[in-house]
Amino acid sequence: MSINFLDQLNEAQRAAVTCTEGASLIVAGAGSGKTRVLTYRIAYLLQQGVPASRIMALTFTNKAAREMKERIRKLVGDEARYLMMGTFHSVCVRLIRPYADLLGFTRDFSIYDTPDQKSVIKAICKERGLDEKIYKGTAVLARISMAKNSGISPDAYGMNQQLLREDREARMYELATVYALYQARLKAANAMDFDDLLINMIRLMDLSAEVKERYQQQFQYVLVDEYQDTNYIQFVLVRKLAEPQNNICVVGDDAQSIYSFRGADIRNILNFRQVYPNAKLFKLERNYRSTQTIVNAANSLIHKNIHQIEKTVYSENDEGQPLNVQAYMDDRTEALGVATKIQRMRHKGYDSFAVLYRTNAQSRVIENELRKLNIPYRIYGGTSFYQRKEIKDALGYLRLAVNRRDNEALLRIVGFPGRGIGETTMKKVSENAIANHCAYLDVMRKPDETGLEVASGTKKKLQAFAQLIDGYAAQSDEMDAFSFAEMVMRTSGVMTALAVDRSTEGIDRAQNVQELLTAIHEFVDQRTKEGIDYTPITDFLSEVSLLTDQDDNLTDTTERVTLMTVHAAKGLEFPVVFIVGLEENLFPSQFAVKPSEIEEERRLLYVAITRAMEQCHLSFARQRFRNGSFSFASQSRFFNDIDRRFFSVQQSAVRSQTAPEIPAMPKIQSIPSIPITMSTPKTPVRQEQTPITSSWNAGDRVAHRVFGQGTVVRVYRDEVTENDKIEIHFDTQGTKTLLLTHAKLERV
């Protein structure tokens, strides 16, 4: 505590750190040291004598919470370990468990992740005979999550005419019923999903004045990171927890609010001072990350938004290079151009480069070109360690052991290792359990009492499995997390089954389960160092179930180029950033129609540009291969929002003989459009169109399932893409070029 860490802050940061009483809004521009300010503010509170147990800090990733807690520990010592710090969901789990019975759950309730949720939805839809092509798991869950984040219960959903109308338009007429059944299934399984954790925390405080008062008195100071990303339920939760002292500090940047599709509501940060009229406003405007040119270009872009908190971010770094802008013939030459530039600058180290795109589908062509040039890369947001099948299977045993009503965990593990219990049997168990309003394991334990109609041999197998799980349940509270997990993996037959498979994949799976046990051992050790004598397996399961998509990425230490969507890039930084696909209907998205949606797309590009420290490259393609055909594209309107003084338009040494000049976009906000010429990478790419022999000829009448009827103009082989193509003039859709192998044409 002898360290005067305030000397390490600039004037604006110091003011934000030391003004601790009452409500505070800290607007932190990109690269302005937001994490440092939040970390130092907590350390300052501890230094002023506030007990760590009186402070709650809410983040959006476990990784951010861990890093902040470690930085605080280095500043003020071991007192930091007593902080209530973590994601909204992890903190809610810790606060709910002691009082779960008030909500109708046991303390050992399960937490369902997305695959679990989809499995429940799929089962409900199948039982009701609903078309799985319409009632897709992802779409149904998105609707349910939207309702929950807006505070709409199943009963309220069924009476909301606007929601019902939207469902009818999507032909999901029974979604309200599916929502109600979904919640009932979770309750029966003694389980909550992520959204339920927040909702039930609010319910708990509403149900029990005693619990509400206890938590409000316990947490005298509430701090929230990334406040621009909070949704309605999180707003309500934070407000309840902070009462009545209202020592609430929120940190965020409205210019980086990009998660409305997850329910984030930018109004939470824009209207903060209306909710707390006496709130103090602090602006962190100095960017420590990027060059002056990058910061100024980003400013000129974001200032076009109407709904924002006024601020002017600035940099005192070097002026730096202009933003490089380049147009390409098509998406393949764009990818080759990016790969070629990276190869030329590889002396910087491959970790210095990130390629950002609007949609995941754009990565494929970029990956192809990087592979051709032997450039190593990683896809940020790939399969998490904890989402691998063998790990999910192992965790399924542990989940079912502590919550024997967890039907999803049971369905996952009952067939691994094989026990002679097949899908037909489990279907009967499922139907019987639903009819008797009990858990699947209850039916398996006493099949005769529930009237389960299966062969006597099958009954013995079901009872043997139930006995195995009941035995684990009896020991789950008597052993620490590692000892229990190691015993379950050994006695359940999981390790034996994996050891039998000596293929490369089998060995990998066995090693992954061993790595899981190592992770549990490290978790117990860490808790012991924090002064916790006993760590049950439920604590580890909670930790794992609440991992976010940023908590298990970039663990590979090999030098690689990073590929990711712009959404995934938030919070990261790279010396050199390539932003590809800056075209109308791609960036901004074709689904962004309303002014508010365009503003969010603009914020998304702002986030992308401000990831760059030294260089930022922007590009777009004149043609893009989408849905089986090439479609013409025009440069994004956002080029007109960036002051052209900060651009360098790259001229091409090789020019297409057939591609026309790209027309400039209409002027927006009085900023001239950019005269960009077509270009290709230095490696020449021929664009030849050779006639080929085909069953189709010019003049043939054809029918396409999407574009209708039309007349064939020509059939040729495109040497650029090495694919056969057919050009058709459709009666109502104009002329389009399609891949011959994917066109699926019918002769008229």
Side-chain angles (χ1 to χ4, degrees):
M1 289 196 184
S2 59
I3 301 174
N4 187 2
F5 50 77
L6 295 180
D7 291 342
Q8 302 173 29
L9 303 173
N10 64 36
E11 185 177 345
Q13 291 173 333
R14 193 178 303 115
V17 164
T18 57
C19 185
T20 60
E21 303 306 303
S24 299
L25 170 60
I26 302 175
V27 180
S32 63
K34 168 183 66 68
T35 303
R36 166 173 283 205
V37 168
L38 192 58
T39 300
Y40 280 35
R41 185 178 174 105
I42 295 171
Y44 182 76
L45 283 168
L46 295 173
Q47 192 182 62
Q48 297 305 301
V50 177
S53 59
R54 298 293 189 195
I55 301 172
M56 174 187 287
L58 299 168
T59 65
F60 273 82
T61 67
N62 296 291
K63 179 181 177 183
R66 286 194 299 268
E67 291 177 351
M68 281 201 292
K69 185 176 279 192
E70 178 59 23
R71 290 171 68 172
I72 294 167
R73 188 192 65 77
K74 290 180 179 179
L75 289 171
V76 299
D78 287 341
E79 176 74 3
R81 71 186 186 186
Y82 300 110
L83 290 166
M84 178 63 77
M85 175 180 284
T87 64
F88 276 87
H89 301 98
S90 64
V91 166
C92 284
V93 169
R94 294 166 66 181
L95 298 182
I96 288 174
R97 283 208 189 275
Y99 302 102
D101 58 312
L102 297 178
L103 296 165
F105 295 83
T106 71
R107 293 176 59 131
D108 295 327
F109 63 82
S110 297
I111 302 169
Y112 277 11
D113 61 12
T114 300
D116 293 327
Q117 293 174 277
K118 288 183 177 179
S119 179
V120 175
I121 293 293
K122 183 178 180 180
I124 292 171
C125 293
K126 189 173 183 179
E127 290 163 16
R128 297 189 64 80
L130 302 177
D131 189 342
E132 63 180 17
K133 294 180 180 178
I134 297 176
Y135 290 85
K136 295 179 180 178
T138 301
V140 172
L141 284 179
R143 293 290 288 173
I144 292 174
S145 182
M146 174 278 299
K148 290 185 178 184
N149 289 330
S150 301
I152 301 172
S153 67
D155 289 342
Y157 192 104
M159 295 184 290
N160 188 307
Q161 294 305 311
Q162 179 180 341
L163 294 177
L164 295 177
R165 183 170 60 254
E166 292 172 358
D167 290 343
R168 286 195 298 271
E169 292 172 355
R171 295 191 295 162
M172 292 193 288
Y173 306 103
E174 291 197 44
L175 201 142
T177 302
V178 173
Y179 180 12
L181 288 172
Y182 169 77
Q183 284 304 108
R185 294 286 170 88
L186 260 61
K187 186 70 176 293
N190 191 36
M192 302 182 196
D193 64 20
F194 274 35
D195 296 324
D196 289 333
L197 295 174
L198 308 185
I199 292 170
N200 285 331
M201 186 65 233
I202 295 173
R203 281 186 60 219
L204 181 59
M205 290 191 287
D206 289 341
L207 285 170
S208 173
E210 181 182 346
V211 172
K212 179 180 178 181
E213 184 176 355
R214 174 178 177 179
Y215 284 147
Q216 288 178 341
Q217 290 300 315
Q218 178 179 346
F219 303 113
Q220 299 288 313
Y221 295 87
V222 178
L223 302 94
V224 186
D225 190 18
E226 304 286 9
Y227 193 66
Q228 78 280 348
D229 293 334
T230 55
N231 58 37
Y232 171 74
I233 289 296
Q234 289 164 330
F235 161 77
V236 173
L237 176 60
V238 169
R239 190 172 186 184
K240 279 183 179 290
L241 287 169
E243 292 173 343
Q245 297 91 348
N246 286 333
N247 288 329
I248 177 174
C249 172
V250 302
V251 184
D253 182 8
D254 57 292
Q256 298 186 65
S257 179
I258 59 174
Y259 294 119
S260 66
F261 67 95
R262 293 182 183 172
D265 192 338
I266 192 174
R267 292 175 298 182
N268 290 350
I269 191 169
L270 294 180
N271 299 337
F272 183 82
R273 285 180 291 168
Q274 295 178 26
V275 177
Y276 300 96
N278 297 321
K280 301 177 182 67
L281 173 65
F282 302 94
K283 295 182 181 181
L284 308 181
E285 297 175 299
R286 180 177 176 183
N287 180 301
Y288 288 88
R289 174 189 301 150
S290 308
T291 64
Q292 293 181 30
T293 300
I294 290 172
V295 169
N296 291 337
N299 280 345
S300 68
L301 170 72
I302 201 62
H303 284 169
K304 302 303 183 299
N305 273 6
I306 296 173
H307 302 289
Q308 61 178 300
I309 298 172
E310 286 299 327
K311 60 185 173 297
T312 301
V313 180
Y314 66 94
S315 171
E316 294 184 2
N317 296 338
D318 293 339
E319 181 178 354
Q321 303 176 21
L323 278 66
N324 177 271
V325 179
Q326 189 159 0
Y328 293 94
M329 290 186 301
D330 53 38
D331 48 351
R332 178 181 172 272
T333 53
E334 179 184 45
L336 177 57
V338 169
T340 303
K341 288 179 180 179
I342 291 173
Q343 189 179 54
R344 286 203 301 263
M345 295 187 286
R346 62 184 178 275
H347 60 275
K348 289 179 173 287
Y350 288 126
D351 279 349
S352 299
F353 304 100
V355 183
L356 309 184
Y357 33 79
R358 181 63 181 83
T359 64
N360 280 303
Q362 293 171 253
S363 74
R364 182 192 61 80
V365 66
I366 298 168
E367 291 182 68
N368 287 344
E369 298 307 323
L370 291 175
R371 282 197 297 267
K372 288 178 183 178
L373 295 179
N374 295 316
I375 296 174
Y377 66 89
R378 63 165 67 87
I379 301 289
Y380 187 87
T383 302
S384 161
F385 174 80
Y386 290 102
Q387 292 298 324
R388 293 171 182 167
K389 181 185 182 301
E390 62 273 15
I391 300 302
K392 295 278 284 186
D393 289 342
L395 292 174
Y397 275 94
L398 304 179
R399 282 172 48 181
L400 189 59
V402 299
N403 176 16
R404 284 173 284 176
R405 288 159 55 188
D406 191 337
N407 296 332
E408 291 307 313
L410 187 151
L411 288 174
R412 169 171 282 279
I413 68 172
V414 71
F416 179 75
R419 296 182 176 84
I421 302 174
E423 289 185 13
T424 301
T425 299
M426 287 312 301
K427 183 179 180 182
K428 292 180 179 180
V429 170
S430 170
E431 292 171 347
N432 189 287
I434 294 171
N436 287 281
H437 305 288
C438 61
Y440 294 177
L441 200 65
D442 295 334
V443 175
M444 300 171 77
R445 188 183 297 113
K446 300 178 180 180
D448 290 330
E449 291 184 17
T450 60
L452 181 66
E453 296 181 357
V454 294
S456 59
T458 301
K459 288 180 182 178
K460 291 180 181 179
K461 294 174 182 177
L462 295 175
Q463 289 173 317
F465 178 78
Q467 186 177 3
L468 176 72
I469 300 302
D470 288 341
Y472 292 152
Q475 300 178 72
S476 62
D477 288 333
E478 299 174 0
M479 307 170 70
D480 70 47
F482 173 72
S483 300
F484 178 73
E486 191 277 332
M487 181 272 294
V488 171
M489 292 303 102
R490 177 168 39 83
T491 60
S492 64
V494 168
M495 293 305 297
T496 302
L498 292 173
V500 170
D501 185 353
R502 301 310 297 168
S503 66
T504 302
E505 294 78 9
I507 293 171
D508 284 345
R509 285 192 287 269
Q511 290 176 341
N512 285 337
V513 173
Q514 287 290 353
E515 183 63 26
L516 172 65
L517 292 174
T518 300
I520 297 174
H521 193 279
E522 291 175 350
F523 179 77
V524 173
D525 283 349
Q526 180 60 37
R527 301 266 290 191
T528 302
K529 292 176 183 177
E530 294 176 359
I532 300 172
D533 296 329
Y534 170 67
T535 300
I537 192 63
T538 49
D539 287 3
F540 178 78
L541 292 174
S542 291
E543 180 88 0
V544 170
S545 64
L546 296 170
L547 290 174
T548 69
D549 55 5
Q550 292 189 29
D551 288 321
D552 195 47
N553 281 299
L554 296 180
T555 55
D556 183 0
T557 56
T558 307
E559 244 192 34
R560 300 174 187 271
V561 175
T562 300
L563 310 184
M564 67 177 83
T565 64
V566 182
H567 282 102
K570 188 168 172 291
L572 304 176
E573 60 183 34
F574 301 88
V576 183
V577 169
F578 293 87
I579 307 170
V580 300
L582 278 165
E583 297 140 30
E584 281 297 296
N585 297 321
L586 184 57
F587 204 162
S589 166
Q590 60 180 320
F591 302 110
V593 178
K594 301 175 183 176
S596 61
E597 294 167 342
I598 294 297
E599 290 210 347
E600 177 154 338
E601 292 287 308
R602 190 177 285 115
R603 292 194 295 268
L604 192 58
L605 181 54
Y606 174 83
V607 167
I609 293 172
T610 55
R611 299 311 94 198
M613 301 164 68
E614 301 168 6
Q615 294 182 33
C616 184
H617 299 258
L618 312 177
S619 62
F620 65 98
R622 183 66 178 85
Q623 296 182 93
R624 186 164 295 274
F625 188 74
R626 302 173 75 177
N627 302 319
S629 66
F630 273 103
S631 57
F632 288 104
S634 56
Q635 65 191 65
S636 170
R637 71 187 73 185
F638 294 148
F639 280 116
N640 293 335
D641 290 344
I642 303 174
D643 193 321
R644 63 186 301 175
R645 292 178 298 165
F646 307 121
F647 278 145
S648 168
V649 179
Q650 187 159 332
Q651 300 298 322
S652 172
V654 179
R655 192 184 184 91
S656 166
Q657 299 299 313
T658 58
E661 194 83 15
I662 295 182
M665 288 291 295
K667 294 183 179 181
I668 302 176
Q669 299 290 342
S670 300
I671 295 180
S673 58
I674 312 159
I676 300 178
T677 57
M678 292 305 302
S679 63
T680 62
K682 287 192 174 179
T683 303
V685 179
R686 294 178 300 153
Q687 186 178 24
E688 298 178 5
Q689 298 174 351
T690 308
I692 63 170
T693 302
S694 168
S695 59
W696 300 105
N697 298 299
D700 287 348
R701 291 287 291 172
V702 299
H704 187 273
R705 61 187 180 86
V706 175
F707 303 127
Q709 294 189 8
T711 303
V712 174
V713 177
R714 57 177 173 162
V715 183
Y716 61 91
R717 181 173 181 80
D718 190 329
E719 299 300 336
V720 173
T721 62
E722 300 179 354
N723 285 311
D724 298 342
K725 296 189 173 62
I726 183 168
E727 186 177 325
I728 305 169
H729 180 78
F730 289 100
D731 299 345
T732 59
Q733 301 293 323
T735 301
K736 296 186 180 298
T737 302
L738 311 176
L739 270 180
L740 197 57
T741 55
H742 292 83
K744 296 183 179 179
L745 301 171
E746 295 181 5
R747 196 176 300 274
V748 177

